[in-house]
């Protein structure tokens, strides 16, 4: 509705079908595309943790920036899986990475086997809303926490989950989410990014964290200090 964007609005409406336009508009709140610098740093850390090969899932992949910035050795030794809800972004990703198994659907509707992946790496959507997922979101977590919890379910024991999430995951006063995650995975490390980390690539200022988890062999009852 902004006059200064009238030309772009008209062009976009002409290029997209009604369904595509609605989907694109719905994704604007959490389509935070990640800079190569951040992605390279995550892969560097994951490799230093000892990850060398296996099945990698990116649960909210956009057009596949994480696949495109993957170290060549990892790319050769890994089978890539991706999920993207936005139809246009997902179709672009399929063109860019034809060898990858990419599903165009909401992550809440995709039912991979638990313990199937060796690593989940990506930038999860942030938002003050919940997704219906009977199996993997019975606790009705917000979208970002749901993505992390479901990712931990999907990796094998000892597997790595390295995700960018809103600072709310670690900062919220209620510790229920952190307690749930800590029972199932060890928090290996956490890095807070400056709120300008996504400004150049996504046009947004948001404070976010990179969290590194390693899935436990079995659930524990103890609560590590970071839960509180």
């Amino acid at each position: 509705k902004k006059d200064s964007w009238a030309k772009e609005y008209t062009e976009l409406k002409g290029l997209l079908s009604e369904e595509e336009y609605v989907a694109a508009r719905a994704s604007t709140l959490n389509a935070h595309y990640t800079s190569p610098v951040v992605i390279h740093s995550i892969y560097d850390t994951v490799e230093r943790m000892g990850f060398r090969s296996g099945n990698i899932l990116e649960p909210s992949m956009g057009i596949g920036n994480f696949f495109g910035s993957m170290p060549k050795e990892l790319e050769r030794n890994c089978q890539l899986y991706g999920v993207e809800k936005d139809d246009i972004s997902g179709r672009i990703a399929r063109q860019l990475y034809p060898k990858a198994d990419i599903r165009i659907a909401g992550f809440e509707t995709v039912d991979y086997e638990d313990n199937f992946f060796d690593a989940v790496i990506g930038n999860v959507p942030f938002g003050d809303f919940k997704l219906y997922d009977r199996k993997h979101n019975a606790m009705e977590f917000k979208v970002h926490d749901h993505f992390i919890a479901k990712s931990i379910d999907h990796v094998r024991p000892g597997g790595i989950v390295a995700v960018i999430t809103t600072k709310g995951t670690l900062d919220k006063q209620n510790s229920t989410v952190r307690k749930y995650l800590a029972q199932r995975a060890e928090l290996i490390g956490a890095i807070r990014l400056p709120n300008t980390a996504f400004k150049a690539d996504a046009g947004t200022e948001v404070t976010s964290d990179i969290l590194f988890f390693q899935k436990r062999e079995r659930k524990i009852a103890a609560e590590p200090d970071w839960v509180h």
Side-chain angles (χ1 to χ4, degrees):
K1 296 177 181 177
K2 292 185 178 180
D3 292 339
S4 57
W5 290 91
K7 180 184 174 186
E8 289 82 358
Y9 169 78
T10 303
E11 183 178 358
L12 199 60
K13 284 287 282 185
L15 288 168
L16 304 184
S17 70
E18 188 61 35
E19 292 83 1
E20 289 169 341
Y21 183 82
V22 169
R25 184 174 60 190
S27 74
T28 56
L29 290 176
N30 48 41
H32 297 162
Y33 284 72
T34 315
S35 71
V37 172
V38 173
I39 297 171
H40 289 149
S41 300
I42 293 174
Y43 279 125
D44 181 55
T45 305
V46 168
E47 286 186 306
R48 282 191 280 114
M49 290 174 180
F51 182 77
R52 294 290 180 271
S53 63
N55 297 326
I56 296 182
L57 170 67
E58 188 182 354
S60 180
M61 70 180 299
I63 61 168
N65 285 7
F66 275 82
F67 286 178
S69 298
M70 184 175 292
K72 294 301 179 187
E73 189 176 342
L74 268 189
E75 192 177 340
R76 282 193 299 269
N77 296 329
C78 292
Q79 178 60 48
L80 306 182
Y81 296 80
V83 180
E84 172 52 40
K85 187 172 187 176
D86 180 68
D87 185 63
I88 293 176
S89 298
R91 278 153 46 201
I92 292 172
R94 281 180 173 173
Q95 293 293 324
L96 291 173
Y97 309 104
K99 293 181 180 178
D101 182 334
I102 296 172
R103 303 191 189 185
I104 301 175
F107 189 45
E108 72 278 10
T109 68
V110 176
D111 207 13
Y112 292 114
E113 289 180 45
D114 287 348
N115 309 308
F116 175 76
F117 295 101
D118 299 282
V120 176
I121 301 173
N123 182 355
V124 302
F126 317 164
D128 190 21
F129 60 92
K130 303 169 185 176
L131 299 173
Y132 175 72
D133 184 337
R134 184 174 57 186
K135 181 178 179 183
H136 295 283
N137 198 23
M139 302 281 285
E140 297 190 339
F141 293 153
K142 299 288 176 62
V143 59
H144 37 276
D145 299 325
H146 169 207
F147 266 63
I148 299 170
K150 185 168 183 172
S151 295
I152 290 172
D153 286 343
H154 283 333
V155 295
R156 61 168 174 78
I160 300 293
V161 173
V163 291
I164 301 169
T165 180
T166 168
K167 70 182 181 116
T169 296
L170 289 189
D171 279 5
K172 62 170 67 76
Q173 286 189 322
N174 188 319
S175 63
T176 301
V177 169
R178 295 188 294 277
K179 192 180 302 184
Y180 182 95
L181 299 177
Q183 287 175 340
R184 292 157 176 80
E186 179 184 357
L187 179 68
I188 301 172
I191 300 161
R192 177 142 298 173
L193 296 172
N195 67 352
T196 54
F198 293 95
K199 191 169 184 180
D201 293 270
T204 186
E205 293 188 23
V206 56
T207 303
S208 52
D209 296 333
I210 308 174
L211 306 183
F212 296 90
F213 293 97
Q214 185 166 34
K215 186 169 179 175
R216 301 185 188 279
E217 293 289 335
R218 59 189 63 83
K219 283 171 59 177
I220 64 167
E223 294 180 10
D225 290 343
W226 67 269
V227 169
H228 304 289

